[in-house]
Amino acid sequence: MTDIMQVNGLTFFHSDTKRWLKKPEIFQLGPIDLSVKRGETIAIIGENRAGKSLLAKLLVGAIPASKGEIELNNHKYLAKYNKQDTQQKRTHDIRMILQHSSESMNPAVPVGKILDEPLRLNTELSEAERKPLIEEMLTKVGLLREHYYFYRHMLSDGQQQRVALARAIMLKPKVLVADEPFAALDPTIRSQTVNLILQLQQELGLAFIFISHNLGIVRHIADRIIVMENGNIVEEGKTETIFRWPQHATTKKLVLAYQSLVPQHTIR
Amino acid sequence: MPQFSLYEEAFHPSPWHRTWAAFRESHIAIIGLFVLGMFVVFSVFAPVLSPYDPNAQNIDGLLIPPSWAMSGSISNLFGTDALGRDLFSRIMYGCRITLGSGLLMVVLAMLIGVSIGTLAGMLKGVRSSIVNHLLDALMAIPTLLIAIIIVAILGTGLVNSMWAITLALIPQFIHHTRRFVRSEAKKEYILASRLDGANKWQLFVHSILPNMTEMLVVQGTLALSIAVIDISALGFLNLGAQSSLPELGAILADGLDVAYLAPWNVALPGITIFVLVLSINVVGDGLRSALRKRMSQ
């Protein structure tokens, strides 16, 4: 297993000192060092406001970072700038599933057009070549070819989630970042989605980084866990290690909370 | 992946099909559409449909009452005016001028307003504010006053009054577009498109513009009814179209001189303006709710 992504000293600094008559708000994320192997699943856990979503957005380049660099397949990106040409390559390789899949779909544009967008902007394919690709992708994520013509309001939450997934893997990325992809789904759809992602991961060999509050799923699918608190990584390690021998106070708290929910004999 | 293969649906209703289906459900909107369609047909085919030349004066038949009156005749459906011109033909041509110039003004104002508004929405900070409030001074002055100023400089005429009204319509479009683009740009699907690698222009064309139809229809119909009222008001005050030109307001002003003798000369052009504006508003309202239904059924 080789490293496909290397993150060095990724820092984000946010200070809101200009506010009048208000406490200055200072938030610093990182510096974060992270290495991701091919086909690996990494879970990011932590309390609210720990900077998990921010880290995800920094990784895909939705928000420019203050410092640091991301190395992908020996191709370095400065995380600070997202110039158009380097950005192009980055959209190819790191893709994201946003937290609210329903809000990340344009209500006035049919699913086919939404899925067409990454192809249209990042590849040289003609329209006639793109359509079969989109239809293939729709069936791959468990939708029908008809859904090409559907709008957001005609789809259920689970289907919207599938569309978001299809959009993310349309360009065959190396790394997939997901911000709470399973939060809004009911247990059946959730396990379907989990299985779907695991299957796609095997097929495409993509690394999957996801944020979740559901430690059950984390334990089930993650290879490695990152625990964050106040914008820093406080603990990092193999899933079983973290669950059995949590070191940091935050990790202990989280794992304990999880164990109190699950009957003891299932954990062991 | 589905284990079974299904036949694909043969027909997928396009967005316009859906809008039409939702529009059809409202009877009032359909009636409004028929009335507006009638006006449009009259305007477009006025030279073919009108029985007389609108400016042909018939000395033998001054102030003939409309055909439904006791002394009226079917040869002049709406009667004639003080110069013996056929009122029906004049109103038909009047719709042509009033509705046509109104549409022209709204399209022009919309194009200018939406482009400036989009620019303002995409810019940030002081620059955005400056662009946004560029034409705000015009909002403080009533259309009529702007028209009077322009007319004072350039002289009276339909075209000059059209410029005045177009100028007055633009700021509304700028403000609504800017606000819309602003609120839209914060939404997550814009971020998603940005992550796909879309630049600002692509974001606007492919993500924001499809959502803007509803706003444009609402503002467009509102502006159209304002434009129709304003152009006939200016015509009525003799600041816009001159009385030789068959424009609804000007016809109304002509009729005012003989209002006691021949009240149909005032009533019929007035009713025409009223029905025209009403049908525009009804159709606009129906379209808006149809577009909204299309998005959220």
Side-chain angles (χ1 to χ4, degrees):
Chain A
M1 290 255 246
T2 46
D3 282 5
I4 59 164
M5 185 164 97
Q6 188 83 38
V7 179
N8 296 321
L10 187 69
T11 314
F12 178 80
F13 193 72
H14 171 83
S15 73
D16 216 355
T17 45
K18 276 186 208 157
R19 281 200 197 166
W20 193 57
L21 288 183
K22 222 173 183 187
K23 250 196 192 165
E25 250 181 62
I26 295 173
F27 182 80
Q28 186 179 355
L29 182 97
I32 280 172
D33 300 304
L34 186 69
S35 70
V36 183
K37 293 191 179 67
R38 197 180 134 78
E40 190 181 33
T41 307
I42 298 179
I44 304 176
I45 60 174
E47 290 167 339
N48 288 338
R49 293 186 58 81
K52 306 187 300 289
S53 298
L54 184 64
L55 175 61
K57 281 184 177 157
L58 288 177
L59 285 178
V60 290
I63 301 172
S66 316
K67 242 191 282 174
E69 54 188 23
I70 296 173
E71 198 180 322
L72 236 167
N73 281 351
N74 301 321
H75 196 295
K76 270 191 187 164
Y77 304 104
L78 279 177
K80 188 169 172 181
Y81 303 106
N82 34 14
K83 267 193 187 156
Q84 204 63 34
D85 53 330
T86 60
Q87 177 71 16
Q88 204 79 354
K89 191 79 182 64
R90 202 154 141 188
T91 37
H92 245 293
D93 292 340
I94 316 179
R95 299 283 287 161
M96 185 173 186
I97 299 176
L98 292 167
Q99 191 164 7
H100 309 286
S101 57
S102 79
E103 277 168 38
S104 62
M105 277 179 80
N106 198 328
V109 176
V111 169
K113 280 273 163 56
I114 291 178
L115 296 182
D116 188 40
E117 196 169 33
L119 288 177
R120 180 165 48 78
L121 295 171
N122 295 297
T123 61
E124 308 271 300
L125 300 172
S126 72
E127 197 164 353
E129 290 168 322
R130 294 196 301 251
K131 197 167 177 210
L133 275 180
I134 294 166
E135 287 179 346
E136 188 197 319
M137 188 54 77
L138 280 174
T139 46
K140 198 181 241 176
V141 296
L143 295 167
L144 297 172
R145 274 174 304 172
E146 263 115 289
H147 285 109
Y148 189 92
Y149 302 97
F150 277 44
Y151 286 84
R152 184 181 84 178
H153 64 263
M154 304 174 187
L155 299 175
S156 69
D157 284 349
Q159 287 170 324
Q160 287 172 359
Q161 192 76 32
R162 280 155 195 264
V163 172
L165 181 62
R167 182 184 199 167
I169 59 175
M170 202 76 217
L171 292 169
K172 305 229 172 357
K174 309 246 169 19
V175 182
L176 181 62
V177 181
D179 192 350
E180 302 202 23
F182 315 117
L185 305 176
D186 72 65
T188 350
I189 305 287
R190 189 159 62 206
S191 45
Q192 275 180 21
T193 319
V194 168
N195 290 341
L196 184 65
I197 287 177
L198 290 178
Q199 186 195 339
L200 289 170
Q201 204 176 5
Q202 275 179 356
E203 277 174 32
L204 305 170
L206 49 79
F208 181 48
I209 302 175
F210 75 106
I211 296 169
S212 186
H213 286 295
N214 188 332
L215 295 193
I217 288 182
V218 168
R219 191 168 198 191
H220 181 53
I221 67 173
D223 298 323
R224 246 173 353 123
I225 293 180
I226 290 170
V227 186
M228 290 190 70
E229 190 188 26
N230 280 332
N232 287 305
I233 295 181
V234 291
E235 197 170 350
E236 187 182 353
K238 287 244 159 54
T239 308
E240 278 312 299
T241 322
I242 296 269
F243 271 98
R244 290 188 185 208
W245 301 285
Q247 302 294 324
H248 194 269
T250 318
T251 323
K252 277 182 186 156
K253 216 160 63 184
L254 287 170
V255 171
L256 209 67
Y258 164 65
Q259 282 172 346
S260 66
L261 288 174
V262 184
Q264 279 305 311
H265 59 92
T266 58
I267 302 172
R268 205 163 313 142
Chain B
M1 210 173 285
Q3 285 86 18
F4 41 83
S5 78
L6 295 169
Y7 288 109
E8 206 175 332
E9 194 90 40
F11 172 70
H12 296 285
S14 74
W16 294 113
H17 278 124
R18 291 182 200 285
T19 315
W20 174 238
F23 187 84
R24 247 182 343 194
E25 280 169 21
S26 162
H27 297 292
I28 296 177
I30 282 291
I31 293 170
L33 187 69
F34 272 117
V35 173
L36 190 62
M38 193 187 71
F39 277 118
V40 169
V41 168
F42 278 161
S43 321
V44 173
F45 297 106
V48 187
L49 290 175
S50 69
Y52 298 93
D53 180 4
N55 289 319
Q57 302 179 6
N58 178 13
I59 313 292
D60 301 330
L62 302 181
L63 297 178
I64 298 175
S67 53
W68 55 85
M70 285 301 281
S71 52
S73 87
I74 196 69
S75 60
N76 294 94
L77 194 63
F78 282 0
T80 57
D81 66 0
L83 293 174
R85 296 175 293 195
D86 180 48
L87 203 59
F88 186 57
S89 309
R90 279 182 77 73
I91 286 179
M92 218 183 256
Y93 274 89
C95 289
R96 187 187 174 94
I97 289 173
T98 309
L99 190 61
S101 59
L103 275 174
L104 205 68
M105 290 186 294
V106 169
V107 169
L108 197 64
M110 198 186 267
L111 280 179
I112 298 173
V114 168
S115 17
I116 296 180
T118 311
L119 192 69
M122 294 281 192
L123 289 174
K124 283 201 175 73
V126 184
R127 274 188 296 173
S128 159
S129 213
I130 291 174
V131 175
N132 185 29
H133 297 294
L134 204 63
L135 292 173
D136 272 15
L138 291 173
M139 285 173 82
I141 317 168
T143 327
L144 232 49
L145 270 178
I146 302 176
I148 290 170
I149 296 166
I150 289 185
V151 163
I153 300 168
L154 297 174
T156 54
L158 182 64
V159 179
N160 293 345
S161 63
M162 277 168 71
W163 282 119
I165 295 167
T166 311
L167 271 178
L169 289 176
I170 291 173
Q172 286 294 341
F173 279 110
I174 296 181
H175 283 269
H176 281 102
T177 312
R178 175 178 180 260
R179 203 174 55 210
F180 187 82
V181 170
R182 272 283 163 93
S183 72
E184 218 57 8
K186 285 198 191 88
K187 293 191 176 161
E188 245 183 11
Y189 56 81
I190 300 296
L191 175 66
S193 293
R194 209 150 57 81
L195 287 178
D196 284 345
N199 61 29
K200 281 192 168 181
W201 172 248
Q202 287 160 336
L203 274 184
F204 175 68
V205 174
H206 296 291
S207 305
I208 298 180
L209 205 57
N211 283 295
M212 218 148 91
T213 6
E214 193 191 317
M215 191 275 283
L216 287 183
V217 164
V218 175
Q219 290 306 315
T221 47
L222 212 65
L224 185 59
S225 55
I226 291 172
V228 165
I229 291 174
D230 276 359
I231 197 107
S232 26
L234 286 176
F236 181 78
L237 293 174
N238 230 344
L239 292 168
Q242 295 305 292
S243 57
S244 61
L245 204 65
E247 194 274 323
L248 288 176
I251 299 171
L252 195 66
D254 278 354
L256 209 59
D257 301 335
V258 288
Y260 288 115
L261 261 175
W264 63 89
N265 265 321
V266 182
L268 291 173
I271 290 171
T272 311
I273 295 173
F274 167 70
V275 175
L276 182 59
V277 171
L278 185 70
S279 65
I280 290 170
N281 282 336
V282 166
V283 169
D285 204 46
L287 253 182
R288 179 182 53 174
S289 58
L291 285 170
R292 190 171 290 168
K293 259 186 211 160
R294 185 192 83 183
M295 296 257 221
S296 62
Q297 233 156 24

